[in-house]
């Protein structure tokens, strides 16, 4: 579980990128852009705060 927590920020960033890919090719709705933005910001913040203590 500790290893998963270490990579949580990167996983959130990849989910945000996946939302952008889905938006581009399959489902062009504003909800996908908002979800991607939230995941990207949360991923960046999680990466900074979790790895700051490590």
């Amino acid at each position: 579980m500790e290893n998963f927590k270490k990579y949580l920020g990167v996983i959130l960033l990849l989910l945000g990128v996946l939302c952008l890919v889905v938006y581009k090719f399959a489902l062009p709705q504003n909800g996908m852009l908002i979800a991607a933005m939230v995941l990207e910001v949360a991923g960046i913040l999680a990466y900074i705060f979790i790895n700051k203590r490590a």
Side-chain angles (χ1 to χ4, degrees):
M1 191 65 171
E2 190 66 30
N3 288 337
F4 174 73
K5 189 169 91 169
K6 182 178 177 183
Y7 295 111
L8 180 63
V10 176
I11 292 169
L12 289 174
L13 285 172
L14 290 174
L15 287 174
V17 169
L18 182 66
C19 283
L20 290 173
V21 169
V22 169
Y23 169 79
K24 176 68 177 173
F25 293 111
L27 192 64
Q29 295 179 351
N30 288 338
M32 291 301 290
L33 289 177
I34 293 170
M37 180 189 65
V38 168
L39 286 169
E40 294 286 330
V41 170
I44 291 170
L45 291 176
Y47 184 81
I48 290 171
F49 288 124
I50 289 171
N51 291 318
K52 187 175 184 181
R53 294 189 293 168

